[in-house]
Amino acid sequence: MADPAVASGGSLNAGARGSGGKAATSPAENYHLARRRTLQVVVSALLTECGFESAEKAAVETLTEMMQSYITEIGRCAKAYCEHTARSIPTLSDTVVTLIEMGFNAETLPVYAKRSQRMVITAPPVTNPPVTPKALSAGQKRTHPAYIPSHFPEFPDPHTYIKTPTFREPVSDYQVVREKAASQRRDVERALTRFMAKTGETQSLFKDDITAFPLIAAQPTTIPYLSALLPSELELQTLEETDSSEQDDQTDSENTAGNVISDDPGADKENSMLPPSGVVPSAKASEDNVIDNPYLRPVKKPKVRRKK
């Protein structure tokens, strides 16, 4: 009977070469493929121990994937327990706790390792791990001081915390600043024009190709001169500020006049002119509630400064 481990290993090696049509050339791919082939040989050996004489390639691949996922989960959990205790290298206790957490009975491992029908597999060929690209070199990497234990993580690369001063002065030339502002304004206008052309109705200069040189469609209004007659927001704000200042002046003058009249002994005479109920007529009250319309205001003459 042919050894299924050797048979499966040879067939899987051939499949690895012919699956993509090209052999793996990068060191990282070679490294991972070598570890994957070792797991496939282990799975084939375990199948032989269990009494199987042959196995399909898909079944071997599925069992290899399950074993790889199981070992990866053990390593991930052991690393998490190790970092939880402020260490960087996992120990045997971390692995035991991980196995217990995953529901595996760790006490059965020594008995299983000393079984009589086990198959010994040769060690995989030595392959160099993939070289990680070097980070930006800046300054000297610091080592741990005496008061920091050696099992603590190392310091990060110096370029992550070294301050790099910049000696570039800000541009203050008037011409350069104006050119930059003009280019930014032009870019904003161009972006807004493109946005309106894509979201709204457009017109084209050419009848054959509508998409060439699209123009924003003009929307005619029923009263085209209305926008020219309506005051702008700036004018309304100026008018409101002017009205508020005039009302304040008028209130101050009324308060001053009221104080003067109250001191006059003839104030009782003016009070006698009010109606018996002491209520102002409704006609006068309605005048105070009139809506302030800018078109109904009196014309303000411009102030002309006389030359001295």
Side-chain angles (χ1 to χ4, degrees), residues 37-280:
R37 292 191 196 105
T38 304
L39 285 178
Q40 290 169 351
V41 173
V42 170
V43 170
S44 301
L46 291 174
L47 290 174
T48 304
E49 289 182 14
C50 294
F52 291 93
E53 295 182 358
S54 62
E56 294 183 0
K57 183 179 178 180
V60 175
E61 284 289 337
T62 304
L63 292 174
T64 305
E65 186 67 27
M66 292 172 64
M67 178 177 285
Q68 183 175 354
S69 301
Y70 190 76
I71 295 174
T72 304
E73 184 65 18
I74 292 174
R76 188 190 65 80
C77 293
K79 181 70 173 175
Y81 283 117
C82 165
E83 293 176 349
H84 185 68
T85 54
R87 289 181 286 108
S88 58
I89 300 176
T91 59
L92 180 60
S93 60
D94 297 327
T95 308
V96 172
V97 173
T98 300
L99 292 174
I100 294 172
E101 183 69 22
M102 295 176 67
F104 184 82
N105 189 5
E107 296 179 356
T108 60
L109 277 177
V111 178
Y112 182 77
K114 295 176 182 180
R115 68 191 184 279
S116 58
Q117 70 274 16
R118 69 180 185 278
M119 297 180 63
V120 179
I121 301 173
T122 57
V126 179
T127 55
N128 298 325
V131 180
T132 55
K134 293 183 178 180
L136 180 65
S137 59
Q140 266 185 342
K141 194 166 184 179
R142 295 176 56 188
T143 57
H144 285 168
Y147 54 84
I148 297 180
S150 59
H151 61 268
F152 271 63
E154 297 180 354
F155 282 105
D157 292 329
H159 75 275
T160 58
Y161 57 87
I162 288 180
K163 181 180 179 183
T164 306
T166 56
F167 300 98
R168 186 177 178 181
E169 297 181 358
V171 180
S172 59
D173 189 11
Y174 176 76
Q175 182 178 357
V176 177
V177 173
R178 288 299 300 272
E179 289 177 355
K180 187 176 181 180
S183 63
Q184 290 178 353
R185 189 182 300 109
R186 183 172 60 252
D187 294 341
V188 170
E189 291 177 356
R190 188 179 301 168
L192 288 175
T193 304
R194 290 177 180 176
F195 176 76
M196 294 179 65
K198 287 183 178 181
T199 55
E201 297 181 1
T202 57
Q203 297 176 351
S204 179
L205 295 176
F206 306 97
K207 296 181 179 179
D208 301 334
D209 190 1
I210 302 176
T211 60
F213 299 98
L215 302 176
I216 299 174
Q219 298 179 355
T221 57
T222 55
I223 309 176
Y225 55 86
L226 183 61
S227 59
L229 294 177
L230 292 175
S232 61
E233 295 182 359
L234 183 61
E235 293 177 355
L236 288 174
Q237 185 178 1
T238 307
L239 292 173
E240 289 177 358
E241 291 177 356
T242 307
D243 293 342
S244 61
S245 59
E246 289 180 355
Q247 290 178 1
D248 293 341
D249 296 341
Q250 186 177 1
T251 306
D252 295 340
S253 61
E254 289 177 356
N255 292 337
T256 307
N259 293 335
V260 173
I261 293 171
S262 61
D263 296 338
D264 191 0
D268 298 335
K269 188 176 181 180
E270 292 182 359
N271 292 335
S272 62
M273 298 176 63
L274 293 173
S277 60
V279 181
V280 183

